[in-house]
Amino acid sequence: MKKTAALSALLMILSGALACADEATPAATQKYTQAELDANPYLKSVVTREGTKADTSKFKKNGPYKIALAAQGPTNSWAALFDQEARYHVDQLGKNKVSELLYASADGNADKQVPEVEDLLSQNPDALILVPMGRAALAASVDRAAAQGVPVVLCASGVDGDSYVTEIGTNLYDLGARAANWLSDQLGGNGNILVMDGIPGVDTAEIAKSGAAAVWKNKPSIKILDEQYGQWSTSEAKKTAEQWIAKYGKTIQGIWSDGGQMSQGIVEAFQEAKLPVPPLASADYSNGLLRQVKDGNIKFSAGQYPNAMVILCIDTALKILNGESVSRFIDFRSAMEKTQDVNTSNIDTFFNPKWSDDVFPPIFLPDSKMVELKYMTK
Amino acid sequence: MSSVGQKSLPVRLLSWSPRSAIRRYGVYCSLAVLLLIALVVRPEVYRPESLFLILRSASQLGMVALGQTLVMLVAGLDLSVTGLLVLTSVVIAQIGAGQDSRILPGLLVSLGFGASIGLANGLLITKRNVPPFVATLGMLVLIRGAQSAYTQGIPSGQVPDGLKVLNQSLGPLPVSFVIWIAFTALLAFVLYATPFGRRIYAIGSNREAARLSGIAVDRYVVAVYIICSLLVVGSGIILSGYVGYVDRYLGRGFDLDSIAAAVVGGVAFSGGRGSLVAAMAGVLLVEFLSSLLLIIGMDVQAQLIVKGLVLIGAVALYSLAERRP
């Protein structure tokens, strides 16, 4: 019996997305046409995995657990707060649940992360939470963990291959499409817009871009005046937006931006040019952007990519170790509170005037911790 | 000393040849051609607001390119510039804390960091014989690491609003452009009209010969790296006022763009040859080209291809001009 169960689990993991395509939930597949799914391997994979359960019975063991976290490292405020959320959550869970949190910082570098994962695995953790710094670079590390019998939870990004148990993130295609649909609705399906993408060739940027592009394709009256990459940089975005303003001026009726930092630069450019900021659809946001849109009374909508998703990653790792079945792709929007698109109507739920501009809400740390970390004024 | 910058005007006119003309005036001709192309293809580039933006961007890169050109004249290279740009922004935000009254301390500390980094680069290169590429690349990593360790990824603080004035207008020109031109004029004077400048060219042309002729080579090289870092801090201050936030991608690409501008302006990697003013024309060419491609609405991939071709073309042209008949 045990052999049969182990074999089924192994088959399920190895068979991957294609073999499990038929198991996708009707709700998930209904949202997209088959042509859309066929044309976009990422989307097909996410939809399929969302509807597929991983058998975790072979990982079941008694606690307390030793959890390894291979993180990006505090290279920016998003990642720094990710670490803090993780540490605080583990503290809250208590030593009887998580006896030890093994931590490694990749400093945002895939080359550094590969040997670090090896080091973490040599300490025999019960589960590995990995924030992959490279889709291809970390694939072999995940394979090695699986071979060692360590369940892997991918957090905030994916890897090639299929050896992990689950990935936690969000449907980036849908993120781009939702922002595009919101902007189109604001313009009544008719208007001149500008599109600022993230970094060319980076998965997360290109996928969100393709989601938005699918929307533009079906909105012939939305005219894209120009589309450029803003490199996820405030200064780059501001420079580009200034040139756009000089060229198109008041004919700009809407903006789609693949990132909160870039959106901040775009808003600054409009405000310095003393032009009203047109409706702004942003893939994500920081507290600084919320401050700008609130002060400037700007029509906006923004998706989320919260660092607090690490809480869900830790909880999911514990579920796996408890033998509970989990989806092979978990969208934090369906599993975490306070995860929804932010717009003018609900901005106060997410904006905190006492937080510094580089906080990415929602945040689940208590105020005292935020003050201690200098992210919040008293 | 066969440097372009060292010959007097009559000598230059007497020694005119197509090759020397390319070497001396290639960048100005290229800039003129580009301006003409823009006039035909996208005349809206000549709108005052577009020109203002181009000059403002040029001044941000130009301050870095000034330093990079000086360093290249002594056969060096500085890859640590982008790290120092972000570090300046962090220091300005942390010390400035959004208050104009704290701009001066922020500036002084930033300049102190800049001078120290330039000094370290210079000492590594002269006293430890570390190749400039390795020394400044290592410094870049060190700056980023130290900054990350200090801020823990949290660049708290706020850039004082007072710095925004650097990016506003002084008549029809951006303030930062006026500052850049002033520094260009000052450094051009130092390079072409003072013993310091002549020695810089001498060191770049032949370091050993310069040493044997009694020039304290190491001191001059260290001084040049310090000046370069101080100019980078200047650019960092202008950029901080421009963005208003601590942007971890601040000045992204300025390392290679500043080198490209200097090369397009005819500054030789081997040192000792090239004109500071021509290098600044190279900055204008690079920025004007970037803005033109953006205004045309060209894809980023195509923009990079065009920029790459222009850079390769410039180097090929100069190497052709250098080849002996």
Side-chain angles (χ1 to χ4, degrees):
Chain A
M1 187 67 187
K2 266 186 182 174
K3 264 189 182 173
T4 315
L7 190 63
S8 333
L10 192 65
L11 278 174
M12 183 170 280
I13 289 169
L14 291 177
S15 57
L18 278 177
C20 301
D22 293 335
E23 295 176 37
T25 56
T29 45
Q30 273 168 15
K31 197 172 171 183
Y32 305 103
T33 63
Q34 193 57 43
E36 229 174 341
L37 292 171
D38 289 342
N40 196 315
Y42 166 85
L43 185 62
K44 191 172 186 177
S45 168
V46 164
V47 168
T48 305
R49 284 181 294 149
E50 235 176 343
T52 308
K53 291 284 186 184
D55 182 357
T56 58
S57 54
K58 70 170 177 176
F59 300 118
K60 185 171 182 180
K61 57 169 74 170
N62 293 326
Y65 306 111
K66 189 156 68 167
I67 306 284
L69 173 60
Q72 175 182 329
T75 50
N76 56 45
S77 58
W78 187 93
L81 270 171
F82 179 97
D83 291 355
Q84 294 298 337
E85 291 273 19
R87 292 198 170 101
Y88 183 76
H89 187 59
V90 167
D91 283 348
Q92 294 300 301
L93 288 170
K95 291 278 181 196
N96 58 339
K97 276 258 170 99
V98 179
S99 58
E100 192 178 359
L101 180 70
L102 304 171
Y103 173 86
S105 156
D107 292 335
N109 186 344
D111 296 337
K112 188 167 183 281
Q113 193 170 44
V114 171
E116 278 179 354
V117 171
E118 307 280 315
D119 287 347
L120 287 173
L121 290 175
S122 70
Q123 296 174 63
N124 296 316
D126 295 310
L128 170 67
I129 297 169
L130 173 66
V131 184
M133 292 293 103
R135 182 169 279 277
L138 270 300
S141 304
V142 174
D143 288 346
R144 182 171 168 169
Q148 195 177 314
V150 177
V152 179
V153 175
L154 301 179
C155 197
S157 193
V159 297
D160 291 339
D162 203 33
S163 314
Y164 56 88
V165 177
T166 184
E167 177 186 340
I168 287 160
T170 196
N171 183 337
L172 295 165
Y173 182 94
D174 191 49
L175 181 75
R178 282 201 317 275
N181 275 318
W182 176 87
L183 186 58
S184 173
D185 290 348
Q186 291 296 310
L187 302 178
N190 182 5
N192 299 322
I193 66 160
L194 291 164
V195 174
M196 189 167 287
D197 302 310
I199 295 179
V202 172
D203 267 8
T204 43
E206 296 296 347
I207 293 163
K209 178 186 170 185
S210 67
V215 173
W216 309 135
K217 200 175 163 187
N218 294 320
K219 309 273 182 190
S221 297
I222 295 281
K223 185 184 172 196
I224 299 176
L225 296 171
D226 196 8
E227 179 167 4
Q228 295 290 339
Y229 287 91
Q231 312 292 337
W232 282 330
S233 156
T234 309
S235 50
E236 288 288 324
K238 189 176 173 185
K239 273 187 189 177
T240 301
E242 284 174 341
Q243 289 290 0
W244 279 343
I245 291 166
K247 186 176 176 186
Y248 302 109
K250 290 178 180 171
T251 62
I252 305 167
Q253 293 171 294
I255 292 168
W256 184 95
S257 155
D258 184 29
Q261 321 92 312
M262 299 194 301
S263 301
Q264 282 181 261
I266 293 168
V267 170
E268 279 238 338
F270 273 89
Q271 289 176 335
E272 282 184 13
K274 308 226 179 322
L275 281 179
V277 184
L280 170 68
S282 184
D284 68 1
Y285 63 90
S286 64
N287 202 47
L289 179 64
L290 297 187
R291 196 185 308 277
Q292 278 180 324
V293 297
K294 197 170 164 65
D295 292 350
N297 201 19
I298 297 162
K299 274 189 185 173
F300 89 108
S301 177
Q304 289 180 325
Y305 211 65
N307 36 38
M309 78 175 90
V310 68
I311 295 170
L312 181 60
C313 298
I314 293 168
D315 289 345
T316 304
L318 296 180
K319 273 187 182 176
I320 292 167
L321 293 170
N322 198 33
E324 293 175 47
S325 173
V326 296
S327 283
R328 298 224 50 226
F329 182 90
I330 301 171
D331 193 324
F332 57 74
R333 284 166 58 86
S334 62
M336 281 177 72
E337 58 172 328
K338 283 188 167 184
T339 46
Q340 64 204 74
D341 288 347
V342 182
N343 52 47
T344 318
S345 66
N346 63 357
I347 187 170
D348 289 329
T349 309
F350 298 94
F351 174 61
N352 187 331
K354 290 184 175 178
W355 283 344
S356 61
D357 285 350
D358 48 1
V359 169
F360 289 78
I363 291 293
F364 295 90
L365 294 169
D367 285 355
S368 57
K369 189 74 183 170
M370 290 296 278
V371 170
E372 181 194 321
L373 294 168
K374 297 181 189 166
Y375 279 115
M376 187 175 181
T377 53
K378 281 181 188 171
Chain B
M1 285 193 282
S2 60
S3 112
V4 172
Q6 294 303 291
K7 289 180 178 173
S8 66
L9 188 62
V11 173
R12 277 195 234 172
L13 289 174
L14 284 173
S15 62
W16 190 90
S17 72
R19 287 171 194 276
S20 64
I22 289 173
R23 209 170 53 228
R24 288 170 192 163
Y25 309 114
V27 66
Y28 304 112
C29 293
S30 305
L31 185 58
V33 169
L34 185 65
L35 292 171
L36 278 174
I37 291 171
L39 191 63
V40 176
V41 178
R42 279 287 186 273
E44 60 262 41
V45 173
Y46 287 94
R47 284 186 198 152
E49 57 269 37
S50 288
L51 288 174
F52 182 91
L53 296 175
I54 292 169
L55 295 181
R56 189 164 72 181
S57 290
S59 59
Q60 293 163 355
L61 173 63
M63 292 291 284
V64 178
L66 278 173
Q68 196 71 262
T69 302
L70 289 177
V71 164
M72 286 173 73
L73 284 176
V74 293
L77 202 63
D78 192 347
L79 296 179
S80 65
V81 295
T82 49
L84 185 51
L85 284 170
V86 180
L87 179 68
T88 302
S89 178
V90 169
V91 171
I92 289 287
Q94 293 227 325
I95 295 179
Q99 297 172 35
D100 289 352
S101 60
R102 298 174 73 168
I103 289 178
L104 188 61
L107 292 183
L108 293 174
V109 174
S110 300
L111 290 169
F113 272 120
S116 309
I117 287 165
L119 178 68
N121 278 335
L123 290 175
L124 279 170
I125 290 159
T126 54
K127 303 296 180 192
R128 309 307 309 168
N129 290 323
V130 181
F133 181 91
V134 179
T136 56
L137 185 64
M139 187 57 70
L140 172 68
V141 176
L142 180 74
I143 294 170
R144 285 189 177 155
Q147 179 189 303
S148 185
Y150 175 65
T151 62
Q152 288 297 301
I154 313 164
S156 60
Q158 202 181 334
V159 176
D161 279 347
L163 285 179
K164 286 191 172 172
V165 75
L166 295 173
N167 294 285
Q168 289 165 355
S169 59
L170 187 67
L173 300 171
V175 173
S176 56
F177 179 74
V178 175
I179 294 171
W180 174 45
I181 293 301
F183 271 100
T184 304
L186 175 70
L187 288 168
F189 174 78
V190 170
L191 273 182
Y192 306 143
T194 67
F196 181 89
R198 284 192 289 277
R199 286 168 190 160
I200 294 297
Y201 276 101
I203 291 167
S205 295
N206 188 329
R207 189 169 291 203
E208 204 45 44
R211 201 187 304 275
L212 292 172
S213 64
I215 297 174
V217 171
D218 289 358
R219 277 193 203 170
Y220 280 91
V221 171
V222 170
V224 162
Y225 274 95
I226 292 174
I227 294 169
C228 175
S229 292
L230 292 176
L231 288 164
V232 173
V233 169
S235 177
I237 291 164
I238 291 169
L239 276 168
S240 300
Y242 172 69
V243 180
Y245 301 92
V246 179
D247 180 6
R248 67 181 186 278
Y249 296 123
L250 197 74
R252 186 186 184 123
F254 271 29
D255 41 6
L256 296 184
D257 281 354
S258 61
I259 294 168
V263 170
V264 167
V267 178
F269 272 114
S270 52
R273 199 164 46 237
S275 151
L276 188 80
V277 177
M280 295 311 105
V283 170
L284 283 173
L285 195 142
V286 166
E287 284 297 335
F288 201 85
L289 181 65
S290 299
S291 297
L292 180 62
L293 297 178
L294 184 67
I295 288 171
I296 288 172
M298 197 177 270
D299 286 345
V300 69
Q301 294 86 348
Q303 287 182 30
L304 292 172
I305 289 170
V306 172
K307 280 189 197 173
L309 286 175
V310 168
L311 183 61
I312 292 168
V315 176
L317 203 64
Y318 285 121
S319 75
L320 207 66
E322 292 302 320
R323 201 179 293 165
R324 291 180 190 284

